[in-house]
Amino acid sequence: MLSPSVDNLVAQLTRLPGIGTRTAQRLAFHLLSASKPDALALATAIEDVKERVRFCRECGNLTEEELCTICLDPRRDQSIVCVVEQPTDVISLERTHEFRGLYHILGGSLSPIDGVDPSDLRIDELVQRVARGSVTEVVLATNPNMTGEATAAYLADRLRGVVTVTRLASGLPVGSDLEYADEVTLGRALVGRRPL
Amino acid sequence: MLSPSVDNLVAQLTRLPGIGTRTAQRLAFHLLSASKPDALALATAIEDVKERVRFCRECGNLTEEELCTICLDPRRDQSIVCVVEQPTDVISLERTHEFRGLYHILGGSLSPIDGVDPSDLRIDELVQRVARGSVTEVVLATNPNMTGEATAAYLADRLRGVVTVTRLASGLPVGSDLEYADEVTLGRALVGRRPL
């Protein structure tokens, strides 16, 4: 509409998740009016990421080296491994400052409907990692939804007898009201009640 | 948190308007998991835009040549010029298919509070363009808000006696309800009523 390269930028921005035509246009005009170094910094950041980032050989997390910073950190507890679906879940868990062990990133959850079966996830790598013997507990931290629960159940079966397997607690979110809790969550909170 | 280049990409994305940390993280992970050509297409689009796009010598619109596609189009009516604040306004007006004249982009609106005075906008260029004689009507299409109205009033003063000056109609949006119209808009609709 205005110029081929602006149209192309809008088209490329529209391919990002959650970015519609209007937002893409606003972002494109921001980049147009931004200083050249500022705009090019974003282009370079994208190129750098595609050039440098790869998966940690041990846990499957994102890294720029052979092993990620968490696997390389000698202060982390090597005997406990937390299994998550995505690298973003690692960020969420690290933000709690409650976990000092290592991670294992599956790369998704089991979902036969979407054609995701155990061979598509880093499950064999997890089993081999546990078999090497230094891990004593595996915390299953897949999402508390249908596919995440199915994945946790599958992993519990695979690892039973080899290592202690635990699952993140389900229950009421802190700061919430009983009145607004859905019945499944409230039921889980009741079943999982703890002595005080 | 995960790797320096991912952190840098998130930081660069956060500088875009309306993009917070969570959204930036989601976009960064999308770019990470996208194919390399797809992700690099966005980087290249940004670089192309900064390299190629400049302002039309005549109207101030975005272009990749000396003159923009609208100024170069011989089918456009050369005698009527529509004055807008931003290149995005040209897109909005073109979408109506109601205007076949040329444009003049001011690059903003008069706002003494923000330190924008007439010399910061392409107003002298407009006056010179009109003085060349082929323009018979100037349509003021600045925004119907405080700074846009002030800019329209200022331009009307500068151009009075030289050329016919008109202003976009204010009134009820098509498809709206009287019940929900604010009193200023409804007042304008009443003052600007037309015979049927």
mmCIF file of all heavy atoms in Angstrom, chain B residues 44-73:
data_model
loop_
_atom_site.group_PDB
_atom_site.id
_atom_site.type_symbol
_atom_site.label_atom_id
_atom_site.label_comp_id
_atom_site.label_asym_id
_atom_site.label_seq_id
_atom_site.Cartn_x
_atom_site.Cartn_y
_atom_site.Cartn_z
ATOM 1 N N THR B 44 15.364 -9.406 8.071
ATOM 2 C CA THR B 44 15.669 -8.775 6.783
ATOM 3 C C THR B 44 14.655 -7.690 6.448
ATOM 4 O O THR B 44 15.009 -6.631 5.914
ATOM 5 C CB THR B 44 15.673 -9.846 5.678
ATOM 6 O OG1 THR B 44 16.496 -10.931 6.106
ATOM 7 C CG2 THR B 44 16.224 -9.293 4.383
ATOM 8 N N ALA B 45 13.372 -7.939 6.767
ATOM 9 C CA ALA B 45 12.327 -6.945 6.483
ATOM 10 C C ALA B 45 12.607 -5.648 7.240
ATOM 11 O O ALA B 45 12.427 -4.555 6.696
ATOM 12 C CB ALA B 45 10.955 -7.501 6.856
ATOM 13 N N ILE B 46 13.057 -5.764 8.485
ATOM 14 C CA ILE B 46 13.379 -4.566 9.280
ATOM 15 C C ILE B 46 14.553 -3.834 8.638
ATOM 16 O O ILE B 46 14.519 -2.609 8.452
ATOM 17 C CB ILE B 46 13.718 -4.954 10.731
ATOM 18 C CG1 ILE B 46 12.497 -5.570 11.414
ATOM 19 C CG2 ILE B 46 14.215 -3.739 11.509
ATOM 20 C CD1 ILE B 46 12.795 -6.216 12.758
ATOM 21 N N GLU B 47 15.582 -4.592 8.265
ATOM 22 C CA GLU B 47 16.760 -3.975 7.654
ATOM 23 C C GLU B 47 16.399 -3.276 6.333
ATOM 24 O O GLU B 47 16.834 -2.155 6.074
ATOM 25 C CB GLU B 47 17.848 -5.027 7.432
ATOM 26 C CG GLU B 47 18.506 -5.438 8.744
ATOM 27 C CD GLU B 47 19.196 -6.798 8.672
ATOM 28 O OE1 GLU B 47 19.076 -7.484 7.627
ATOM 29 O OE2 GLU B 47 19.822 -7.180 9.657
ATOM 30 N N ASP B 48 15.567 -3.943 5.515
ATOM 31 C CA ASP B 48 15.153 -3.374 4.222
ATOM 32 C C ASP B 48 14.438 -2.045 4.409
ATOM 33 O O ASP B 48 14.678 -1.082 3.693
ATOM 34 C CB ASP B 48 14.215 -4.340 3.484
ATOM 35 C CG ASP B 48 14.998 -5.445 2.798
ATOM 36 O OD1 ASP B 48 16.243 -5.391 2.864
ATOM 37 O OD2 ASP B 48 14.374 -6.342 2.229
ATOM 38 N N VAL B 49 13.507 -2.042 5.369
ATOM 39 C CA VAL B 49 12.724 -0.837 5.608
ATOM 40 C C VAL B 49 13.633 0.331 5.993
ATOM 41 O O VAL B 49 13.475 1.451 5.500
ATOM 42 C CB VAL B 49 11.667 -1.133 6.705
ATOM 43 C CG1 VAL B 49 11.426 0.069 7.576
ATOM 44 C CG2 VAL B 49 10.370 -1.591 6.060
ATOM 45 N N LYS B 50 14.594 0.056 6.884
ATOM 46 C CA LYS B 50 15.483 1.143 7.328
ATOM 47 C C LYS B 50 16.419 1.577 6.201
ATOM 48 O O LYS B 50 16.882 2.706 6.167
ATOM 49 C CB LYS B 50 16.288 0.725 8.562
ATOM 50 C CG LYS B 50 15.453 0.418 9.778
ATOM 51 C CD LYS B 50 14.439 1.500 10.090
ATOM 52 C CE LYS B 50 15.010 2.688 10.838
ATOM 53 N NZ LYS B 50 13.932 3.611 11.276
ATOM 54 N N GLU B 51 16.696 0.673 5.301
ATOM 55 C CA GLU B 51 17.612 0.962 4.206
ATOM 56 C C GLU B 51 16.907 1.752 3.099
ATOM 57 O O GLU B 51 17.452 2.710 2.562
ATOM 58 C CB GLU B 51 18.140 -0.377 3.654
ATOM 59 C CG GLU B 51 19.311 -0.257 2.724
ATOM 60 C CD GLU B 51 20.522 0.353 3.414
ATOM 61 O OE1 GLU B 51 20.884 -0.109 4.516
ATOM 62 O OE2 GLU B 51 21.072 1.308 2.854
ATOM 63 N N ARG B 52 15.678 1.338 2.777
ATOM 64 C CA ARG B 52 15.040 1.815 1.551
ATOM 65 C C ARG B 52 14.020 2.930 1.714
ATOM 66 O O ARG B 52 13.828 3.726 0.805
ATOM 67 C CB ARG B 52 14.314 0.634 0.873
ATOM 68 C CG ARG B 52 15.276 -0.401 0.375
ATOM 69 C CD ARG B 52 14.557 -1.418 -0.499
ATOM 70 N NE ARG B 52 15.379 -2.593 -0.656
ATOM 71 C CZ ARG B 52 14.927 -3.804 -0.912
ATOM 72 N NH1 ARG B 52 13.628 -3.988 -1.044
ATOM 73 N NH2 ARG B 52 15.750 -4.824 -1.055
ATOM 74 N N VAL B 53 13.300 2.929 2.847
ATOM 75 C CA VAL B 53 12.162 3.848 2.931
ATOM 76 C C VAL B 53 12.613 5.265 3.271
ATOM 77 O O VAL B 53 13.443 5.467 4.146
ATOM 78 C CB VAL B 53 11.144 3.349 3.978
ATOM 79 C CG1 VAL B 53 10.020 4.352 4.158
ATOM 80 C CG2 VAL B 53 10.572 2.009 3.528
ATOM 81 N N ARG B 54 12.070 6.249 2.527
ATOM 82 C CA ARG B 54 12.322 7.656 2.855
ATOM 83 C C ARG B 54 11.043 8.445 2.630
ATOM 84 O O ARG B 54 9.999 7.868 2.384
ATOM 85 C CB ARG B 54 13.477 8.177 1.999
ATOM 86 C CG ARG B 54 13.352 7.779 0.547
ATOM 87 C CD ARG B 54 14.583 8.197 -0.223
ATOM 88 N NE ARG B 54 14.600 7.632 -1.544
ATOM 89 C CZ ARG B 54 15.183 8.231 -2.572
ATOM 90 N NH1 ARG B 54 15.768 9.397 -2.422
ATOM 91 N NH2 ARG B 54 15.172 7.665 -3.760
ATOM 92 N N PHE B 55 11.107 9.772 2.729
ATOM 93 C CA PHE B 55 9.902 10.586 2.599
ATOM 94 C C PHE B 55 9.777 11.150 1.191
ATOM 95 O O PHE B 55 10.769 11.591 0.602
ATOM 96 C CB PHE B 55 9.920 11.722 3.621
ATOM 97 C CG PHE B 55 9.863 11.231 5.023
ATOM 98 C CD1 PHE B 55 10.975 11.310 5.852
ATOM 99 C CD2 PHE B 55 8.705 10.658 5.524
ATOM 100 C CE1 PHE B 55 10.927 10.837 7.153
ATOM 101 C CE2 PHE B 55 8.642 10.184 6.828
ATOM 102 C CZ PHE B 55 9.767 10.266 7.640
ATOM 103 N N CYS B 56 8.549 11.143 0.663
ATOM 104 C CA CYS B 56 8.271 11.701 -0.663
ATOM 105 C C CYS B 56 8.619 13.187 -0.656
ATOM 106 O O CYS B 56 8.208 13.916 0.248
ATOM 107 C CB CYS B 56 6.798 11.489 -0.992
ATOM 108 S SG CYS B 56 6.260 12.328 -2.496
ATOM 109 N N ARG B 57 9.372 13.626 -1.664
ATOM 110 C CA ARG B 57 9.818 15.022 -1.749
ATOM 111 C C ARG B 57 8.621 15.978 -1.842
ATOM 112 O O ARG B 57 8.676 17.101 -1.351
ATOM 113 C CB ARG B 57 10.712 15.178 -3.000
ATOM 114 C CG ARG B 57 11.374 16.518 -3.190
ATOM 115 C CD ARG B 57 12.429 16.457 -4.278
ATOM 116 N NE ARG B 57 11.958 15.764 -5.489
ATOM 117 C CZ ARG B 57 11.220 16.341 -6.453
ATOM 118 N NH1 ARG B 57 10.897 17.604 -6.377
ATOM 119 N NH2 ARG B 57 10.843 15.640 -7.511
ATOM 120 N N GLU B 58 7.532 15.531 -2.435
ATOM 121 C CA GLU B 58 6.380 16.401 -2.651
ATOM 122 C C GLU B 58 5.439 16.414 -1.443
ATOM 123 O O GLU B 58 5.139 17.466 -0.910
ATOM 124 C CB GLU B 58 5.624 15.945 -3.910
ATOM 125 C CG GLU B 58 4.424 16.779 -4.276
ATOM 126 C CD GLU B 58 4.786 18.130 -4.904
ATOM 127 O OE1 GLU B 58 5.992 18.420 -5.035
ATOM 128 O OE2 GLU B 58 3.856 18.887 -5.233
ATOM 129 N N CYS B 59 4.987 15.214 -0.999
ATOM 130 C CA CYS B 59 3.913 15.180 0.003
ATOM 131 C C CYS B 59 4.377 14.721 1.388
ATOM 132 O O CYS B 59 3.634 14.858 2.346
ATOM 133 C CB CYS B 59 2.770 14.279 -0.487
ATOM 134 S SG CYS B 59 3.148 12.521 -0.402
ATOM 135 N N GLY B 60 5.563 14.168 1.510
ATOM 136 C CA GLY B 60 6.043 13.722 2.819
ATOM 137 C C GLY B 60 5.607 12.320 3.194
ATOM 138 O O GLY B 60 5.874 11.853 4.308
ATOM 139 N N ASN B 61 4.920 11.624 2.292
ATOM 140 C CA ASN B 61 4.508 10.245 2.549
ATOM 141 C C ASN B 61 5.729 9.314 2.448
ATOM 142 O O ASN B 61 6.783 9.712 1.965
ATOM 143 C CB ASN B 61 3.461 9.837 1.510
ATOM 144 C CG ASN B 61 2.631 8.653 1.971
ATOM 145 O OD1 ASN B 61 2.901 8.069 3.023
ATOM 146 N ND2 ASN B 61 1.629 8.312 1.192
ATOM 147 N N LEU B 62 5.577 8.082 2.906
ATOM 148 C CA LEU B 62 6.668 7.119 2.815
ATOM 149 C C LEU B 62 6.805 6.619 1.388
ATOM 150 O O LEU B 62 5.803 6.404 0.700
ATOM 151 C CB LEU B 62 6.399 5.941 3.741
ATOM 152 C CG LEU B 62 6.238 6.309 5.207
ATOM 153 C CD1 LEU B 62 5.770 5.108 6.000
ATOM 154 C CD2 LEU B 62 7.527 6.867 5.767
ATOM 155 N N THR B 63 8.015 6.418 0.947
ATOM 156 C CA THR B 63 8.259 5.959 -0.415
ATOM 157 C C THR B 63 9.636 5.326 -0.495
ATOM 158 O O THR B 63 10.446 5.484 0.413
ATOM 159 C CB THR B 63 8.171 7.145 -1.409
ATOM 160 O OG1 THR B 63 8.511 6.688 -2.706
ATOM 161 C CG2 THR B 63 9.140 8.249 -1.014
ATOM 162 N N GLU B 64 9.881 4.571 -1.558
ATOM 163 C CA GLU B 64 11.222 4.041 -1.782
ATOM 164 C C GLU B 64 11.910 4.767 -2.937
ATOM 165 O O GLU B 64 13.037 4.475 -3.279
ATOM 166 C CB GLU B 64 11.163 2.536 -2.056
ATOM 167 C CG GLU B 64 10.566 1.806 -0.875
ATOM 168 C CD GLU B 64 10.548 0.306 -1.017
ATOM 169 O OE1 GLU B 64 11.242 -0.234 -1.887
ATOM 170 O OE2 GLU B 64 9.823 -0.327 -0.229
ATOM 171 N N GLU B 65 11.141 5.717 -3.570
ATOM 172 C CA GLU B 65 11.696 6.507 -4.676
ATOM 173 C C GLU B 65 11.737 7.972 -4.254
ATOM 174 O O GLU B 65 11.442 8.298 -3.117
ATOM 175 C CB GLU B 65 10.812 6.348 -5.923
ATOM 176 C CG GLU B 65 10.408 4.921 -6.245
ATOM 177 C CD GLU B 65 11.600 4.043 -6.612
ATOM 178 O OE1 GLU B 65 12.584 4.592 -7.119
ATOM 179 O OE2 GLU B 65 11.549 2.827 -6.367
ATOM 180 N N GLU B 66 12.032 8.843 -5.206
ATOM 181 C CA GLU B 66 12.035 10.285 -4.963
ATOM 182 C C GLU B 66 10.609 10.760 -4.614
ATOM 183 O O GLU B 66 10.414 11.505 -3.673
ATOM 184 C CB GLU B 66 12.541 10.992 -6.236
ATOM 185 C CG GLU B 66 12.744 12.472 -6.107
ATOM 186 C CD GLU B 66 14.075 12.803 -5.464
ATOM 187 O OE1 GLU B 66 14.832 11.856 -5.115
ATOM 188 O OE2 GLU B 66 14.363 13.976 -5.313
ATOM 189 N N LEU B 67 9.629 10.249 -5.394
ATOM 190 C CA LEU B 67 8.225 10.596 -5.175
ATOM 191 C C LEU B 67 7.437 9.333 -4.833
ATOM 192 O O LEU B 67 7.792 8.233 -5.270
ATOM 193 C CB LEU B 67 7.634 11.234 -6.440
ATOM 194 C CG LEU B 67 8.179 12.616 -6.818
ATOM 195 C CD1 LEU B 67 7.665 13.021 -8.211
ATOM 196 C CD2 LEU B 67 7.771 13.663 -5.794
ATOM 197 N N CYS B 68 6.342 9.481 -4.072
ATOM 198 C CA CYS B 68 5.549 8.310 -3.672
ATOM 199 C C CYS B 68 4.617 7.873 -4.802
ATOM 200 O O CYS B 68 4.431 8.597 -5.783
ATOM 201 C CB CYS B 68 4.760 8.608 -2.409
ATOM 202 S SG CYS B 68 3.351 9.681 -2.681
ATOM 203 N N THR B 69 4.027 6.682 -4.662
ATOM 204 C CA THR B 69 3.181 6.125 -5.726
ATOM 205 C C THR B 69 1.959 6.999 -5.979
ATOM 206 O O THR B 69 1.477 7.079 -7.115
ATOM 207 C CB THR B 69 2.709 4.699 -5.369
ATOM 208 O OG1 THR B 69 2.217 4.710 -4.028
ATOM 209 C CG2 THR B 69 3.838 3.707 -5.480
ATOM 210 N N ILE B 70 1.443 7.670 -4.937
ATOM 211 C CA ILE B 70 0.245 8.497 -5.118
ATOM 212 C C ILE B 70 0.598 9.763 -5.908
ATOM 213 O O ILE B 70 -0.094 10.127 -6.853
ATOM 214 C CB ILE B 70 -0.397 8.831 -3.751
ATOM 215 C CG1 ILE B 70 -0.934 7.543 -3.106
ATOM 216 C CG2 ILE B 70 -1.517 9.855 -3.910
ATOM 217 C CD1 ILE B 70 -1.507 7.703 -1.716
ATOM 218 N N CYS B 71 1.703 10.418 -5.533
ATOM 219 C CA CYS B 71 2.110 11.632 -6.263
ATOM 220 C C CYS B 71 2.442 11.312 -7.719
ATOM 221 O O CYS B 71 2.248 12.142 -8.608
ATOM 222 C CB CYS B 71 3.312 12.287 -5.585
ATOM 223 S SG CYS B 71 2.874 13.184 -4.080
ATOM 224 N N LEU B 72 2.928 10.100 -7.976
ATOM 225 C CA LEU B 72 3.333 9.723 -9.337
ATOM 226 C C LEU B 72 2.157 9.264 -10.205
ATOM 227 O O LEU B 72 2.283 9.155 -11.419
ATOM 228 C CB LEU B 72 4.368 8.584 -9.281
ATOM 229 C CG LEU B 72 5.795 8.983 -8.908
ATOM 230 C CD1 LEU B 72 6.650 7.743 -8.699
ATOM 231 C CD2 LEU B 72 6.399 9.876 -9.992
ATOM 232 N N ASP B 73 0.999 9.006 -9.554
ATOM 233 C CA ASP B 73 -0.136 8.425 -10.276
ATOM 234 C C ASP B 73 -0.845 9.501 -11.095
ATOM 235 O O ASP B 73 -1.457 10.416 -10.536
ATOM 236 C CB ASP B 73 -1.090 7.799 -9.240
ATOM 237 C CG ASP B 73 -2.225 7.032 -9.886
ATOM 238 O OD1 ASP B 73 -2.453 7.208 -11.103
ATOM 239 O OD2 ASP B 73 -2.887 6.263 -9.174
#
